[in-house]
Amino acid sequence: MIKRASGLLLLLLLLPALGRAEWLSDQASVMGTRINVELWHEDRALGELAIATVIDEFKRLDEKLSPYKTDSELTLVNRMAAEVAVDISSELFHLLQESHNYAKLTQGAFDITFASIGHQYDYRTGKKPNQQSTRQALPLIDYRHIRLDAKTQTVRFLRKGVQIDLGGIAKGYAVDRGIALLRERAIEHALISAGGDSRLIGDHRGRPWHIGIQAPRKKAAMAAVLPLADTAISTSGDYERYFEADGVRYHHIISPKTGHSAKNVQSVTILGPNATRTDALSTSIFVLGAEAGMALIDSLDDVEAVIIDRDGQMLTSAGLDSFH
Ligand code: AMP
Ligand code: MG
């Protein structure tokens, strides 16, 4: 009796080590959003390790880039850069350079100094700056107030009061870092998503991944579902972080020109080669609005867009049909 039972036990213990190939997934709450990692691996233990590595990478970046953590590198910059040129890591320097490039490309629609006003909002409690403090802070929003010195790898703010926040690009960057870590491990089928920013490696083993675009004014309903493989996709929406007061929707994407929430569209989805790019562009096009935004997307040959305009109409860029 005892003998037979131990034989069965041995078999059960061996089973996980046989390493059957399968789909694996895990979720975590990091960077104020939901992280989801899904992948196919021939070996369950290695697959699970790969997922844990990705989630750790998100935590590392959150520690470094969060504007809310008092000891993050970004907070240090916000505290010091108006006084002295601050020595920063090459990773943060790279992200500030990327942000500068998107600011130039979008003629200032993407501008990380939006935070000079943005940090006066709290979307959970409905806190917002009054007219006077918005007016006072508006001149602080200008990416040209940030001086980057590549030689010394330092950053300096040219005006007192300037604040920066990488919320429009950091999640996409983290997704790209996670994808790089999976590629190093030769993983051929995977999805990483962080809130509205996702990137895919390969397909879903013989069929495409299906990525939904949320219907902006209907909870848990999709406006569209796209069959995709090997691409990045980001959505920016006015329904993600917002409150309403006096009939106005105050949400988290700020027009640098006015200091108020951008009003021209309900959501913007960008498809492209990497998530840093689709993240930065989804936020930018949201600010630019449907017309100027679509014109910019059509002028770039590696990205496509699905815009849901302020009336709820869906607009798509010229090359979307042939995109895969
Ligand atoms: P996303 O959901 O990718 O569109 O990112 C929205 C986040 O981008 C906000 O929560 C802010 O942290 C940040 N953001 C808001 N307005 C701007 C802007 N005009 N330029 C750059 N980042 C912004
Ligand atoms: Mg974005």
Side-chain angles (χ1 to χ4, degrees):
M1 184 66 190
I2 288 171
K3 225 174 156 189
R4 270 174 52 207
S6 69
L8 185 64
L9 193 65
L10 187 66
L11 188 66
L12 286 175
L13 285 173
L14 274 174
L15 265 180
L18 291 178
R20 272 170 307 150
E22 57 189 313
W23 284 106
L24 302 166
S25 69
D26 200 8
Q27 287 78 40
S29 247
V30 196
M31 290 182 148
T33 196
R34 199 87 189 128
I35 314 298
N36 179 37
V37 187
E38 274 176 66
L39 56 82
W40 174 267
H41 207 294
E42 302 296 329
D43 183 298
R44 187 187 178 109
L46 288 180
E48 282 173 349
L49 198 61
I51 293 176
T53 306
V54 171
I55 290 173
D56 281 350
E57 180 68 355
F58 272 91
K59 290 182 183 156
R60 183 186 71 79
L61 288 167
D62 192 26
E63 292 298 323
K64 190 170 203 165
L65 304 175
S66 169
Y68 307 109
K69 295 192 193 288
T70 50
D71 55 352
S72 73
E73 194 178 5
L74 188 97
T75 298
L76 179 76
V77 169
N78 275 336
R79 208 184 301 137
M80 302 291 296
E83 311 289 335
V84 291
V86 183
D87 252 310
I88 53 175
S89 63
S90 54
E91 188 169 45
L92 180 56
F93 195 86
H94 164 75
L95 274 170
L96 295 182
Q97 265 177 333
E98 285 269 343
S99 298
H100 185 83
N101 292 341
Y102 282 106
K104 277 201 299 195
L105 177 71
T106 63
Q107 294 179 333
F110 188 86
D111 191 328
I112 59 175
T113 64
F114 86 90
S116 312
I117 286 177
H119 283 175
Q120 299 182 45
Y121 283 89
D122 186 334
Y123 299 98
R124 286 159 309 173
T125 60
K127 176 176 163 263
K128 58 178 167 61
N130 61 29
Q131 263 183 358
Q132 198 197 346
S133 46
T134 303
R135 209 175 324 115
Q136 278 173 352
L138 199 55
L140 300 173
I141 301 187
D142 189 332
Y143 66 97
R144 287 162 294 205
H145 295 331
I146 305 172
R147 166 95 15 112
L148 292 171
D149 185 337
K151 251 199 220 125
T152 53
Q153 210 167 274
T154 55
V155 56
R156 174 99 209 230
F157 297 161
L158 304 182
R159 289 250 198 146
K160 230 184 160 67
V162 169
Q163 295 284 291
I164 58 170
D165 186 315
L166 295 170
I169 193 169
K171 279 184 277 135
Y173 174 74
V175 167
D176 286 339
R177 284 287 313 139
I179 289 289
L181 291 170
L182 296 184
R183 283 203 195 285
E184 278 173 23
R185 287 160 179 74
I187 286 163
E188 292 174 349
H189 306 277
L191 169 153
I192 301 179
S193 68
D197 302 296
S198 307
R199 187 166 164 191
L200 311 169
I201 300 179
D203 64 0
H204 202 272
R205 287 179 50 86
R207 61 186 186 85
W209 295 88
H210 287 103
I211 307 292
I213 298 177
Q214 166 75 37
R217 297 290 178 267
K218 281 187 213 147
K219 272 226 155 71
M222 295 298 167
V225 177
L226 306 179
L228 298 170
D230 260 322
T231 191
I233 176 168
S234 292
T235 298
S236 294
D238 64 5
Y239 50 85
E240 289 171 334
R241 211 164 279 170
Y242 76 98
F243 62 88
E244 275 171 14
D246 313 322
V248 179
R249 178 181 284 252
Y250 294 91
H251 67 84
H252 65 149
I253 302 172
I254 306 287
S255 164
K257 274 198 195 133
T258 64
H260 298 296
S261 303
K263 290 185 178 55
N264 296 322
V265 297
Q266 296 178 357
S267 87
V268 174
T269 299
I270 304 291
L271 296 101
N274 64 69
T276 307
R277 188 160 175 78
T278 57
D279 189 4
L281 284 176
S282 69
T283 310
S284 309
I285 304 305
F286 196 105
V287 171
L288 286 171
E291 210 173 317
M294 206 54 107
L296 176 60
I297 292 301
D298 283 335
S299 77
L300 303 170
D301 58 14
D302 64 342
V303 288
E304 300 298 337
V306 179
I307 297 178
I308 300 180
D309 72 10
R310 74 168 96 188
D311 306 317
Q313 294 297 315
M314 190 184 290
L315 316 166
T316 58
S317 59
L320 189 75
D321 288 346
S322 52
F323 191 90
H324 59 270

Short mmCIF file of all heavy atoms in Angstrom, two decimals, residues 68 108-114 123 165-169 171 197 234-237 240-241 252-256 279-280 282-284 286-287, ligand 1:
data_model
loop_
_atom_site.label_atom_id
_atom_site.label_comp_id
_atom_site.label_asym_id
_atom_site.label_seq_id
_atom_site.Cartn_x
_atom_site.Cartn_y
_atom_site.Cartn_z
N TYR A 68 5.87 60.20 -8.13
CA TYR A 68 5.23 60.17 -6.80
C TYR A 68 6.13 59.62 -5.72
O TYR A 68 5.89 59.79 -4.55
CB TYR A 68 3.93 59.35 -6.85
CG TYR A 68 3.02 59.79 -7.95
CD1 TYR A 68 2.81 59.01 -9.09
CD2 TYR A 68 2.39 61.04 -7.88
CE1 TYR A 68 1.99 59.44 -10.11
CE2 TYR A 68 1.57 61.48 -8.90
CZ TYR A 68 1.38 60.68 -10.02
OH TYR A 68 0.57 61.12 -11.02
N GLY A 108 5.37 70.35 -30.00
CA GLY A 108 5.05 70.66 -28.61
C GLY A 108 3.77 70.04 -28.08
O GLY A 108 3.40 70.31 -26.93
N ALA A 109 3.06 69.24 -28.88
CA ALA A 109 1.86 68.57 -28.34
C ALA A 109 2.28 67.58 -27.26
O ALA A 109 1.66 67.46 -26.21
CB ALA A 109 1.09 67.85 -29.45
N PHE A 110 3.39 66.85 -27.53
CA PHE A 110 3.98 66.00 -26.51
C PHE A 110 4.99 66.85 -25.75
O PHE A 110 5.95 67.35 -26.33
CB PHE A 110 4.67 64.78 -27.15
CG PHE A 110 5.13 63.78 -26.12
CD1 PHE A 110 4.26 62.80 -25.67
CD2 PHE A 110 6.41 63.83 -25.59
CE1 PHE A 110 4.65 61.89 -24.71
CE2 PHE A 110 6.81 62.92 -24.63
CZ PHE A 110 5.93 61.95 -24.19
N ASP A 111 4.75 67.04 -24.48
CA ASP A 111 5.65 67.90 -23.71
C ASP A 111 5.64 67.46 -22.26
O ASP A 111 4.62 67.61 -21.56
CB ASP A 111 5.21 69.37 -23.84
CG ASP A 111 6.26 70.32 -23.29
OD1 ASP A 111 6.96 69.95 -22.33
OD2 ASP A 111 6.35 71.45 -23.81
N ILE A 112 6.77 66.91 -21.80
CA ILE A 112 6.80 66.35 -20.44
C ILE A 112 6.75 67.43 -19.36
O ILE A 112 6.50 67.12 -18.20
CB ILE A 112 8.03 65.43 -20.23
CG1 ILE A 112 9.34 66.17 -20.48
CG2 ILE A 112 7.92 64.19 -21.13
CD1 ILE A 112 10.58 65.34 -20.15
N THR A 113 6.92 68.71 -19.76
CA THR A 113 6.76 69.78 -18.76
C THR A 113 5.28 70.10 -18.52
O THR A 113 4.96 70.99 -17.72
CB THR A 113 7.49 71.08 -19.17
OG1 THR A 113 6.90 71.58 -20.37
CG2 THR A 113 8.97 70.84 -19.42
N PHE A 114 4.38 69.36 -19.20
CA PHE A 114 2.95 69.48 -18.89
C PHE A 114 2.74 69.37 -17.37
O PHE A 114 1.77 69.89 -16.80
CB PHE A 114 2.13 68.40 -19.61
CG PHE A 114 2.07 67.11 -18.82
CD1 PHE A 114 1.06 66.87 -17.91
CD2 PHE A 114 3.08 66.16 -18.94
CE1 PHE A 114 1.05 65.72 -17.13
CE2 PHE A 114 3.07 65.02 -18.17
CZ PHE A 114 2.05 64.80 -17.26
N TYR A 123 -6.72 63.06 -9.87
CA TYR A 123 -7.93 62.57 -10.53
C TYR A 123 -8.76 61.66 -9.63
O TYR A 123 -9.94 61.44 -9.89
CB TYR A 123 -7.56 61.88 -11.85
CG TYR A 123 -6.89 62.86 -12.79
CD1 TYR A 123 -5.52 62.91 -12.91
CD2 TYR A 123 -7.66 63.78 -13.50
CE1 TYR A 123 -4.89 63.84 -13.73
CE2 TYR A 123 -7.06 64.73 -14.32
CZ TYR A 123 -5.67 64.75 -14.43
OH TYR A 123 -5.08 65.69 -15.22
N ASP A 165 7.28 64.91 -16.13
CA ASP A 165 6.62 63.64 -15.82
C ASP A 165 6.65 62.82 -17.10
O ASP A 165 6.31 63.31 -18.18
CB ASP A 165 5.17 63.94 -15.40
CG ASP A 165 4.43 62.70 -14.92
OD1 ASP A 165 4.54 61.65 -15.58
OD2 ASP A 165 3.72 62.80 -13.91
N LEU A 166 7.09 61.57 -16.98
CA LEU A 166 7.22 60.71 -18.16
C LEU A 166 6.02 59.79 -18.36
O LEU A 166 6.10 58.79 -19.08
CB LEU A 166 8.52 59.89 -18.06
CG LEU A 166 9.79 60.76 -18.08
CD1 LEU A 166 11.02 59.93 -17.74
CD2 LEU A 166 9.97 61.42 -19.45
N GLY A 167 4.89 60.13 -17.73
CA GLY A 167 3.68 59.29 -17.80
C GLY A 167 3.20 59.00 -19.21
O GLY A 167 2.50 58.02 -19.44
N GLY A 168 3.57 59.84 -20.18
CA GLY A 168 3.12 59.63 -21.56
C GLY A 168 4.04 58.74 -22.37
O GLY A 168 3.74 58.44 -23.54
N ILE A 169 5.14 58.28 -21.79
CA ILE A 169 6.11 57.50 -22.57
C ILE A 169 6.73 56.34 -21.78
O ILE A 169 7.19 55.35 -22.36
CB ILE A 169 7.21 58.43 -23.13
CG1 ILE A 169 8.06 57.74 -24.21
CG2 ILE A 169 8.10 58.99 -22.03
CD1 ILE A 169 8.98 58.69 -24.99
N LYS A 171 5.52 53.92 -19.77
CA LYS A 171 4.93 52.58 -19.83
C LYS A 171 5.33 51.89 -21.14
O LYS A 171 5.65 50.71 -21.15
CB LYS A 171 3.42 52.65 -19.69
CG LYS A 171 2.99 52.77 -18.23
CD LYS A 171 1.48 52.75 -18.10
CE LYS A 171 0.89 54.11 -18.37
NZ LYS A 171 -0.28 54.15 -19.22
N ASP A 197 -0.83 50.28 -23.14
CA ASP A 197 0.33 50.08 -24.01
C ASP A 197 0.69 48.61 -24.09
O ASP A 197 0.95 47.99 -23.07
CB ASP A 197 1.53 50.88 -23.49
CG ASP A 197 1.20 52.35 -23.40
OD1 ASP A 197 0.97 52.95 -24.46
OD2 ASP A 197 1.14 52.88 -22.27
N SER A 234 -0.79 51.22 -28.76
CA SER A 234 -1.10 52.01 -27.56
C SER A 234 -2.39 52.77 -27.74
O SER A 234 -2.65 53.30 -28.83
CB SER A 234 0.00 53.06 -27.30
OG SER A 234 1.21 52.45 -26.94
N THR A 235 -3.18 52.83 -26.70
CA THR A 235 -4.38 53.66 -26.73
C THR A 235 -4.32 54.69 -25.62
O THR A 235 -3.97 54.38 -24.49
CB THR A 235 -5.64 52.79 -26.54
OG1 THR A 235 -5.74 51.86 -27.63
CG2 THR A 235 -6.91 53.65 -26.52
N SER A 236 -4.64 55.93 -25.97
CA SER A 236 -4.82 57.00 -24.99
C SER A 236 -6.29 57.38 -25.00
O SER A 236 -6.85 57.62 -26.08
CB SER A 236 -4.01 58.24 -25.37
OG SER A 236 -2.63 57.96 -25.29
N GLY A 237 -6.91 57.43 -23.82
CA GLY A 237 -8.34 57.77 -23.79
C GLY A 237 -8.66 58.75 -22.68
O GLY A 237 -7.96 58.81 -21.67
N GLU A 240 -9.73 57.13 -19.03
CA GLU A 240 -8.83 56.32 -18.20
C GLU A 240 -8.66 56.90 -16.80
O GLU A 240 -8.70 56.19 -15.80
CB GLU A 240 -7.45 56.21 -18.87
CG GLU A 240 -7.48 55.35 -20.11
CD GLU A 240 -6.17 55.42 -20.89
OE1 GLU A 240 -5.47 56.44 -20.80
OE2 GLU A 240 -5.87 54.45 -21.60
N ARG A 241 -8.41 58.17 -16.74
CA ARG A 241 -8.16 58.83 -15.46
C ARG A 241 -8.85 60.18 -15.55
O ARG A 241 -8.37 61.08 -16.22
CB ARG A 241 -6.65 59.01 -15.30
CG ARG A 241 -6.16 58.96 -13.89
CD ARG A 241 -4.68 58.75 -13.82
NE ARG A 241 -4.29 57.35 -13.97
CZ ARG A 241 -3.03 56.94 -14.13
NH1 ARG A 241 -2.07 57.83 -14.19
NH2 ARG A 241 -2.74 55.67 -14.22
N HIS A 252 -6.53 63.18 -17.84
CA HIS A 252 -5.09 63.21 -17.58
C HIS A 252 -4.21 63.61 -18.76
O HIS A 252 -3.00 63.64 -18.61
CB HIS A 252 -4.65 61.84 -17.06
CG HIS A 252 -4.81 60.75 -18.09
ND1 HIS A 252 -3.97 59.66 -18.14
CD2 HIS A 252 -5.69 60.58 -19.10
CE1 HIS A 252 -4.33 58.87 -19.13
NE2 HIS A 252 -5.37 59.42 -19.72
N ILE A 253 -4.80 63.91 -19.90
CA ILE A 253 -3.96 64.34 -21.02
C ILE A 253 -4.14 65.84 -21.20
O ILE A 253 -5.23 66.34 -21.47
CB ILE A 253 -4.30 63.56 -22.31
CG1 ILE A 253 -4.11 62.06 -22.05
CG2 ILE A 253 -3.42 64.04 -23.47
CD1 ILE A 253 -4.58 61.16 -23.16
N ILE A 254 -3.04 66.55 -21.00
CA ILE A 254 -3.09 68.01 -20.91
C ILE A 254 -2.58 68.64 -22.20
O ILE A 254 -1.50 68.28 -22.70
CB ILE A 254 -2.19 68.50 -19.74
CG1 ILE A 254 -2.56 67.80 -18.43
CG2 ILE A 254 -2.23 70.01 -19.60
CD1 ILE A 254 -3.85 68.25 -17.80
N SER A 255 -3.33 69.58 -22.71
CA SER A 255 -2.85 70.35 -23.86
C SER A 255 -1.84 71.39 -23.36
O SER A 255 -2.19 72.26 -22.56
CB SER A 255 -4.04 71.05 -24.54
OG SER A 255 -3.52 72.05 -25.39
N PRO A 256 -0.59 71.31 -23.81
CA PRO A 256 0.43 72.24 -23.32
C PRO A 256 0.11 73.70 -23.65
O PRO A 256 0.58 74.60 -22.96
CB PRO A 256 1.71 71.79 -24.05
CG PRO A 256 1.47 70.36 -24.37
CD PRO A 256 0.00 70.28 -24.69
N ASP A 279 3.35 54.73 -27.60
CA ASP A 279 2.90 55.41 -26.37
C ASP A 279 3.01 56.93 -26.54
O ASP A 279 2.04 57.67 -26.35
CB ASP A 279 3.75 54.92 -25.19
CG ASP A 279 3.21 55.42 -23.85
OD1 ASP A 279 2.16 56.07 -23.83
OD2 ASP A 279 3.86 55.15 -22.82
N ALA A 280 4.20 57.39 -26.92
CA ALA A 280 4.40 58.84 -27.07
C ALA A 280 3.46 59.41 -28.12
O ALA A 280 2.86 60.48 -27.93
CB ALA A 280 5.85 59.12 -27.44
N SER A 282 0.51 58.17 -29.16
CA SER A 282 -0.92 58.13 -28.82
C SER A 282 -1.27 59.35 -27.95
O SER A 282 -2.30 60.00 -28.17
CB SER A 282 -1.31 56.81 -28.13
OG SER A 282 -0.75 56.72 -26.85
N THR A 283 -0.40 59.68 -27.02
CA THR A 283 -0.63 60.86 -26.18
C THR A 283 -0.57 62.13 -27.04
O THR A 283 -1.42 63.01 -26.92
CB THR A 283 0.43 60.91 -25.05
OG1 THR A 283 0.47 59.64 -24.40
CG2 THR A 283 0.09 61.99 -24.04
N SER A 284 0.42 62.18 -27.93
CA SER A 284 0.58 63.37 -28.79
C SER A 284 -0.62 63.60 -29.70
O SER A 284 -1.11 64.73 -29.82
CB SER A 284 1.79 63.20 -29.71
OG SER A 284 2.93 62.83 -29.02
N PHE A 286 -3.57 62.53 -29.33
CA PHE A 286 -4.73 62.92 -28.52
C PHE A 286 -4.76 64.44 -28.37
O PHE A 286 -5.80 65.09 -28.48
CB PHE A 286 -4.68 62.24 -27.14
CG PHE A 286 -6.00 62.30 -26.44
CD1 PHE A 286 -6.80 61.18 -26.35
CD2 PHE A 286 -6.46 63.50 -25.91
CE1 PHE A 286 -8.05 61.25 -25.75
CE2 PHE A 286 -7.70 63.59 -25.31
CZ PHE A 286 -8.49 62.45 -25.22
N VAL A 287 -3.60 65.02 -28.10
CA VAL A 287 -3.52 66.48 -27.92
C VAL A 287 -3.77 67.21 -29.25
O VAL A 287 -4.49 68.20 -29.31
CB VAL A 287 -2.14 66.89 -27.34
CG1 VAL A 287 -1.96 68.40 -27.35
CG2 VAL A 287 -1.97 66.33 -25.92
P1 AMP B 1 -1.27 57.92 -22.12
O1 AMP B 1 -2.27 57.16 -21.33
O2 AMP B 1 -0.18 57.12 -22.69
O3 AMP B 1 -1.87 58.84 -23.11
O4 AMP B 1 -0.49 58.84 -21.11
C1 AMP B 1 -1.17 59.82 -20.37
C2 AMP B 1 -0.16 60.37 -19.43
O5 AMP B 1 0.76 61.17 -20.17
C3 AMP B 1 -0.75 61.27 -18.40
O6 AMP B 1 -1.20 60.55 -17.27
C4 AMP B 1 0.42 62.16 -18.08
O7 AMP B 1 1.29 61.52 -17.18
C5 AMP B 1 1.15 62.28 -19.41
N1 AMP B 1 0.78 63.47 -20.21
C6 AMP B 1 -0.36 64.19 -20.16
N2 AMP B 1 -0.36 65.19 -21.06
C7 AMP B 1 0.84 65.11 -21.71
C8 AMP B 1 1.46 65.85 -22.77
N3 AMP B 1 0.83 66.89 -23.36
N4 AMP B 1 2.68 65.46 -23.18
C9 AMP B 1 3.33 64.42 -22.60
N5 AMP B 1 2.79 63.68 -21.61
C10 AMP B 1 1.57 64.01 -21.17
#
